[in-house]
Amino acid sequence: MIKPSLPKGFRDHLPAEGHKRGFILSAIQDAFHRYGFQYIETPLLESMKTLTEKYGEEGDQLLFKVLRSGDFLRKADQEALEAGDSRAVARSICESGLRYDLTVPLARVVVQHQSDIQFPFRRYQIGPVFRADRPQKGRYRQFTQCDADIVGSSSWVGDVEVLKLYAEVFDALGLKVTIRVNHRKLMQGMLQHLSLSEQSAAVLSALDKMDKIGEDGVCKALDGIGISENVIDEFMAWIKQSDFTRVYNESMQEGRDRLEKIVEVLEDAVQFDASLARGLDYYTGMVVEVVSSEIEFGSIGGGGRYDELTKVFGGQNLPGVGISFGLDRIVDVMNALERWPNASHGKSLILFVHFDELGMAKGWEYIQQLRSLGIPAELYPDIAKAKKQLKYADQRGFTYVAMLGDDELSSNTIMVKFLDQGSQRSMTFDELITALNTES
Amino acid sequence: MIKPSLPKGFRDHLPAEGHKRGFILSAIQDAFHRYGFQYIETPLLESMKTLTEKYGEEGDQLLFKVLRSGDFLRKADQEALEAGDSRAVARSICESGLRYDLTVPLARVVVQHQSDIQFPFRRYQIGPVFRADRPQKGRYRQFTQCDADIVGSSSWVGDVEVLKLYAEVFDALGLKVTIRVNHRKLMQGMLQHLSLSEQSAAVLSALDKMDKIGEDGVCKALDGIGISENVIDEFMAWIKQSDFTRVYNESMQEGRDRLEKIVEVLEDAVQFDASLARGLDYYTGMVVEVVSSEIEFGSIGGGGRYDELTKVFGGQNLPGVGISFGLDRIVDVMNALERWPNASHGKSLILFVHFDELGMAKGWEYIQQLRSLGIPAELYPDIAKAKKQLKYADQRGFTYVAMLGDDELSSNTIMVKFLDQGSQRSMTFDELITALNTES
């Protein structure tokens, strides 16, 4: 006997949560369609070559690697094996891994299928991504991202479209959020001004941990990479101010121009945040992060502009911008706020209960007729006591229960219980159809 | 530079195919909802313990294994390493693998979450599964299964429900199919009658390859496992006849009873096939396989009853029955038959084109207003020549193109081109809204 369990950090979603996830997904998909994003699918597995060196050194450590099939030891790096060098051995026995996000696969797709795609390419994709992170609150090893991206244009329109999309979806979900924006060019220009361009990756990585390690932690990290106290002070003062118009060089000017356009179009739907870093290496322009304004829970969405990501795959460079909705975190926030509308509970409509083979056969006829009319209907599939069948109806949350006892069978009627109201009434099948049609 | 490519046997689905997939999925999901199946999600990864020894020896070879993260060599089986025994080493360095189907994960779920589930449990799940098979026509290493199962009842109702579901979905898709059914008890009873019970797994496995290796191949395989010519002849004659009422023992009688009930309820919607084996080890009752009646393409769906599958995970035994739609194969068949309705082409509605920043800004206002009315609308995001923008509109397949030139901007009108008809007309924004509302 095997104890039924999942690998650490992975979760099942039973029907109650499945409905909630479906509710959020359909709000997101509705908006994606309204904005003209088109659906694509890429595989869960990508070549290790595609995945590595895209997410920073930390990201590389968090990739799930898939073992070559067959006799993989034959191709293993013998030297590394003898040296006990797990990383080098992994490179020789794993050719592919689980995708870490949906953005790098998109960059691969647009280069690989360049001649079959019309640019500007507006695509959406929804699916699981994987990170071998230490599991903790709000952090899962498999989580679902819902991404919308525009590739092949560097205009402000793409930036404001994806930001507006965020505002609309969270509004539709009834969540109050803060949409923080910054611009990598503004940040890089500031680092240049402070003569920190060489340490830029380390500085951004420290800054990105602000939520976890606090301001002191960030200062310590900056000190750790050898930045002088004065410079740290100047940098920390700068990231805390909210004025992006003070610029010292061309790079900052470029960031300022785009941020001004964004704020002109979207006004206070977005909030400038000079401290916003975003962990991923590939951003080059606007960066965005969404947090709940009602509860502390980390980011529930993030994205930005990546105008050079496709370069690594060769061909013509294709600028892009995109955002991601973190489905699992949004569920967590809506759970914490108890913000679920009735529509998300997924009630079941009608269950036919019965007491012998005759009743069950009659029930089968009825549900088939209802289903053929597009009305969802179910039949208790076993001969069982009324109590058991009614308990099931109650637990599943049916609106109606249709009982088929001897009296009903002989008079060709149905005794319908209204579970919400606690009442019941005998009716013909035609009357039942009318009642269900008003309901569904 | 990295050449953009995918691991062997994996595929991307661009928008044109994404729409087609979405079209099929929504027909399947509609039916699942009408039948009262509830949505669940399980992770893509399962413990190797959960996956192994469920799909036969061949299945075990086809599992994709995921490398432990971190310093995996420390926990590696040193003896096996020295012996170069890849299989044994894999067991020590991989704890989890990619799921092979959705049925074994369901069995795990119902035992693991037994107290949170109402039985009979009607669940559906749609998602990718993985098999490290040799890629070939119609066989992919990642493919999408759409499964509906009823767990916790062994009644005939479940069997006929899932069969009827097959008939309805393929009918909705406009595909003519043959739904072949058999019963494992009938088959096992026959093997018992022929004193072949001990070789039953090998016989079923040979039989399952009939499509690939032909009748001669099956006979050779049976000969290869040491079955005498006489017995082979008797067995081959039996699997070719279509009479399930001739039974020799209790096991066959049990199969016959259920098949009689199925045929009584569903009549000629299903077709008895004594040769139908189905590869998977876990079936115990009715087995089913769906093939196109219009084209040779292997199975596009399969399933059956597995009344003992949950046993291995302990607890109370829960009988189950279920079916799977093979999304990728259904796409292949519909492609081969060119059977796509217009609805599956995913036309885009309206694109605003413009010639300067002013026109682009006006276009932004218009698309935002249309989207807020629930009407999908797009704006070409860059300043570009009319020809380029119109070519894009044409390639993407928009129904309308709204042009915003100087004349339109000064007169507050929009020049609307009807791409299908090749005509154009100037209208106000309100008139455009009316036109789009009738369209969408």
Side-chain angles (χ1 to χ4, degrees), chain A residues 25 48 82 94 117 129 132 142 166 170 179 195 220 226 248 260 273 280 303 306 320 329 358 375 377 392 395 428:
Chain A
L25 280 179
M48 287 307 291
E82 275 154 36
C94 299
I117 289 175
V129 301
Q142 171 182 329
Y166 263 150
F170 287 114
I179 301 173
S195 304
K220 253 182 224 159
Y248 303 115
E260 271 175 346
D273 181 346
L280 299 175
Y306 44 90
R329 291 269 187 96
L358 265 184
I375 300 169
Y392 173 75
Q395 287 175 329
T428 65

Side-chain angles (χ1 to χ4, degrees), chain B residues 97-268:
Chain B
L98 295 176
R99 65 187 180 200
Y100 184 91
D101 71 358
L102 301 175
T103 309
V104 168
L106 172 64
R108 177 192 55 72
V109 160
V110 297
V111 178
Q112 188 174 336
H113 304 282
Q114 200 150 176
S115 54
D116 298 319
I117 289 174
Q118 284 86 45
F119 294 97
F121 182 43
R122 305 167 71 83
R123 87 86 176 80
Y124 81 85
Q125 186 167 7
I126 293 174
V129 301
F130 302 84
R131 300 183 187 177
D133 230 328
R134 201 163 53 84
Q136 51 185 289
K137 187 191 162 205
R139 188 172 296 168
Y140 311 107
R141 290 186 154 185
Q142 171 182 328
F143 55 98
T144 296
Q145 289 194 327
C146 315
D147 279 28
D149 289 78
I150 302 164
V151 176
S153 162
S154 52
S155 118
W156 60 267
V157 173
D159 293 12
V160 298
E161 276 200 292
V162 295
L163 293 172
K164 185 83 183 157
L165 188 57
Y166 263 149
E168 284 186 20
V169 168
F170 286 113
D171 193 51
L173 292 174
L175 292 178
K176 290 192 180 57
V177 296
T178 307
I179 302 173
R180 296 183 190 146
V181 297
N182 195 2
H183 200 290
R184 273 279 161 98
K185 291 267 160 66
L186 195 73
M187 176 69 81
Q188 274 155 7
M190 188 62 197
L191 294 175
Q192 191 186 316
H193 173 69
L194 298 171
S195 304
L196 294 176
S197 291
E198 303 235 317
Q199 295 99 311
S200 126
V203 173
L204 287 181
S205 163
L207 201 53
D208 192 46
K209 298 198 178 74
M210 179 81 89
D211 281 353
K212 287 174 225 160
I213 61 180
E215 208 184 304
D216 283 356
V218 174
C219 290
K220 254 182 223 159
L222 297 180
D223 182 64
I225 51 178
I227 303 173
S228 73
E229 209 182 307
N230 280 354
V231 174
I232 293 179
D233 286 348
E234 192 175 350
F235 180 66
M236 294 306 283
W238 183 78
I239 61 164
K240 275 189 277 183
Q241 52 81 43
S242 59
D243 176 16
F244 56 75
T245 61
R246 202 158 38 110
V247 301
Y248 303 115
N249 50 38
E250 220 174 296
S251 173
M252 291 185 87
Q253 181 65 45
E254 204 183 316
R256 167 189 164 158
D257 288 349
R258 180 53 59 91
L259 287 170
E260 271 175 345
K261 186 70 194 176
I262 289 170
V263 169
E264 176 199 324
V265 177
L266 297 177
E267 297 172 350
D268 49 12

Side-chain angles (χ1 to χ4, degrees), chain A residues 12 71 86 155 161 371 381 392, chain B residues 35 71 86 120 155 161 371 381:
Chain A
D12 292 315
D71 189 6
S86 285
S155 118
E161 277 200 291
R371 287 169 178 173
Y392 173 75
Chain B
Y35 275 70
D71 190 7
S86 286
S155 118
E161 276 200 292
R371 288 169 178 173

Side-chain angles (χ1 to χ4, degrees), chain B residues 26-139:
Chain B
S26 82
I28 294 172
Q29 270 178 299
D30 276 0
F32 285 175
H33 291 153
R34 223 158 48 232
Y35 275 70
F37 290 97
Q38 301 187 291
Y39 175 65
I40 74 164
E41 275 181 53
T42 65
L44 278 289
L45 259 68
E46 293 276 353
S47 299
M48 287 306 293
K49 269 183 247 164
T50 299
L51 295 172
T52 47
E53 290 172 35
K54 304 297 182 305
Y55 307 107
E57 208 176 311
E58 243 177 274
D60 282 350
Q61 299 310 310
L62 301 182
L63 294 170
F64 278 105
K65 302 175 192 74
V66 174
L67 197 65
R68 273 181 211 262
S69 42
D71 190 7
F72 66 91
L73 282 178
R74 277 206 328 194
K75 293 185 181 171
D77 180 336
Q78 292 302 328
E79 229 169 280
L81 259 180
E82 276 154 36
D85 179 349
S86 286
R87 276 197 215 182
V89 172
R91 273 193 295 274
S92 68
I93 62 176
C94 299
E95 285 171 308
S96 57
L98 295 176
R99 65 187 180 200
Y100 184 91
D101 71 358
L102 301 175
T103 309
V104 168
L106 172 64
R108 177 192 55 72
V109 160
V110 297
V111 178
Q112 188 174 336
H113 304 282
Q114 200 150 176
S115 54
D116 298 319
I117 289 174
Q118 284 86 45
F119 294 97
F121 182 43
R122 305 167 71 83
R123 87 86 176 80
Y124 81 85
Q125 186 167 7
I126 293 174
V129 301
F130 302 84
R131 300 183 187 177
D133 230 328
R134 201 163 53 84
Q136 51 185 289
K137 187 191 162 205
R139 188 172 296 168

Side-chain angles (χ1 to χ4, degrees), chain B residues 314-329:
Chain B
Q316 165 203 4
N317 187 45
L318 293 158
V321 65
I323 53 166
S324 184
F325 291 84
L327 177 64
D328 304 75
R329 293 268 187 97

